[in-house]
Amino acid sequence: MTDFRQQALDYHQYPTPGKISVELTTPAETSKDLALAYSPGVAEPVREIAQDPDNAYKYTAKGNMVAVITNGTAILGLGNLGPLASKPVMEGKALLFKRFAGLDSIDIEVSHRTTQDFINTVANIADTFGGINLEDIKAPECFEIEQALIERCNVPVFHDDQHGTAIVTAAGMLNALEIQGKKLAESRIVCLGAGAAAIACMELLIKCGAQREHIYMLDSKGVIHTRRDDLNEYKQLFANNTDKRTLKDVIEGADIFVGVSGPDLLSPEELKLMAPNPVIFACSNPDPEIKPEVAMAARDDLIMGTGRSDYPNQVNNVLCFPFMFRGALDVRATAINDEMKVAAVEAIRQLAKEPVPDSVLKAADVKELNFGRNYIIPKPIDPRLCQRVARAVAEAAVKSGAAKIDLPENYMQD
């Protein structure tokens, strides 16, 4: 672990501090180049944009630029360490945008006194970018922040900790249930955790067919039920009229367990109480709610997913967010709506059913991958994800009215 720590520090320090930089896309060698790039030539696109703001997409990098914005109040599993400490994570997000979707991205860390200060700051700079990716903002403030920015901004705003997690979870879950011979609408669901990711996951599963009354959500105080008087408005949406109070109470007979909470919180004894052929998504990082080897020792009829890359069925946001923004920006979407999220779910889950290219097998260091218990969701390194998800999202944006332009000709075609 000490060796890995030093490797991580060296990775971020050498050969140049950080993970991203700015590169030029046009010549800047001659006096004429500079006259075109800046004064006096730059005045011409300025005039064009002043006449029609949409010309910013024609003459600037806006249409290929995403801002990754945070206040550092919920950094990975490390908690509230402040905006500056979050910068390596936000640079990492920018790296992923570029690596997987060819999107330029810049990180912005905001210091503020009130939630409204943060909202105002982001809203006031939003038009600079084609889209806003919110990241590592704690609940429940993240809900208020995202909703306010969606209402105020003319570009798509997407809190990845909520919706990216939800999209990938839903895609894997629908495939796992299909393999297990179960239907989402008939499944009893236990969700351990009640923060941003948990609430977004459950809301999207409901949009995909789950029944709200079949969901039992737990926070640090136990089952969220109607007789509790300490619930915020977001938790209240999942308050059950039930006498059950503990994880052990609600896990009995459950078909699905989704963990977005903390390590080792689901015991083998509790797992054994679940219905036949259960689906377990233990997504706490770096240590899941129950380790796969422990779960498999307890029963052999389950399908297991985690947030880790060293186990099968990794529930990883990188399967989603770069391509959500790629598709949204390419049709100049003004928002990322439910139709676009569900389209991403379907595109991701269907890709897992197709033959896997040799290049992906080699990169994953495996001999074969076939749709089944140990392969319910594509690998993040699958190059087909960009094409499939971006096109599905763009098509949904156009069809739902969120797009400002039609799909480009032959967009993301084979």
Side-chain angles (χ1 to χ4, degrees), residues 80-367:
N80 184 357
L81 300 181
L84 189 58
S86 73
K87 189 170 177 63
V89 183
M90 301 307 113
E91 285 190 356
K93 202 80 173 188
L95 178 152
L96 295 173
F97 271 115
K98 187 70 171 180
R99 162 65 177 81
F100 288 102
L103 286 165
D104 296 319
S105 181
I106 193 72
D107 62 295
I108 299 173
E109 293 78 32
V110 179
S111 298
H112 63 96
R113 291 175 298 170
T114 68
T115 297
Q116 194 60 49
D117 284 343
F118 183 89
I119 292 168
N120 290 339
T121 298
V122 178
N124 288 338
I125 64 173
D127 277 350
T128 305
F129 307 98
I132 303 292
N133 184 104
L134 299 174
E135 195 78 18
D136 287 3
I137 302 170
K138 71 181 180 71
E141 290 86 348
C142 63
F143 301 113
E144 177 188 351
I145 287 169
E146 185 191 42
Q147 187 55 46
L149 289 172
I150 288 171
E151 293 171 2
R152 289 180 58 177
C153 298
N154 295 316
V155 297
V157 177
F158 184 83
H159 184 203
D160 185 48
D161 299 307
Q162 291 183 58
H163 310 298
T165 304
I167 288 165
V168 180
T169 297
M173 185 63 66
L174 288 168
N175 278 348
L177 290 173
E178 180 180 325
I179 293 166
Q180 296 288 56
K182 298 191 175 191
K183 295 181 179 179
L184 182 58
E186 299 170 358
S187 297
R188 280 188 52 204
I189 303 170
V190 172
C191 180
L192 185 59
I199 288 171
C201 283
M202 294 304 107
E203 289 290 359
L204 187 57
L205 285 177
I206 289 169
K207 290 181 177 68
C208 292
Q211 302 300 303
R212 190 178 294 271
E213 60 269 24
H214 293 171
I215 298 173
Y216 292 87
M217 184 177 285
L218 298 91
D219 62 10
S220 60
K221 297 180 181 178
V223 173
I224 293 174
H225 59 84
T226 52
R227 289 186 285 282
R228 282 179 55 174
D229 58 6
D230 61 343
L231 302 176
N232 61 43
E233 60 183 294
Y234 308 103
K235 291 183 182 181
Q236 285 174 354
L237 295 170
F238 292 93
N240 285 82
N241 184 13
T242 179
D243 294 327
K244 298 178 180 181
R245 296 292 182 263
T246 68
L247 177 59
K248 186 175 181 180
D249 292 338
V250 295
I251 201 74
E252 187 171 0
D255 301 285
I256 296 168
F257 172 87
V258 176
V260 275
S261 49
D264 303 320
L265 295 177
L266 177 66
S267 70
E269 292 71 30
E270 290 163 337
L271 176 59
K272 290 176 182 178
L273 297 174
M274 294 184 71
N277 301 316
V279 178
I280 314 298
F281 277 18
C283 296
S284 174
N285 263 326
D287 299 311
E289 283 77 8
I290 185 170
K291 293 180 176 62
E293 54 269 27
V294 174
M296 298 296 182
R299 56 191 302 171
D300 60 6
D301 62 340
L302 55 79
I303 291 180
M304 179 100 190
T306 72
R308 291 176 53 147
S309 60
D310 53 348
Y311 293 114
N313 301 328
Q314 184 188 16
V315 181
N316 189 333
N317 288 20
V318 80
L319 289 164
C320 166
F321 71 83
F323 321 122
M324 288 292 301
F325 275 97
R326 180 76 277 166
L329 266 63
D330 288 343
V331 292
R332 300 184 193 174
T334 56
I336 293 176
N337 58 30
D338 288 341
E339 291 89 341
M340 294 159 74
K341 295 172 193 172
V342 172
V345 170
E346 283 301 310
I348 293 168
R349 68 174 295 222
Q350 293 303 328
L351 183 58
K353 300 178 182 181
E354 298 184 19
V356 181
D358 289 340
S359 60
V360 176
L361 297 177
K362 184 176 180 180
D365 194 25
V366 296
K367 292 184 178 180

Side-chain angles (χ1 to χ4, degrees), residues 47-66:
R47 293 187 182 103
E48 293 296 312
I49 294 167
Q51 289 181 356
D52 181 358
D54 280 349
N55 280 331
Y57 289 96
K58 183 188 269 189
Y59 297 115
T60 77
K62 175 183 170 79
N64 200 57
M65 177 71 74
V66 176

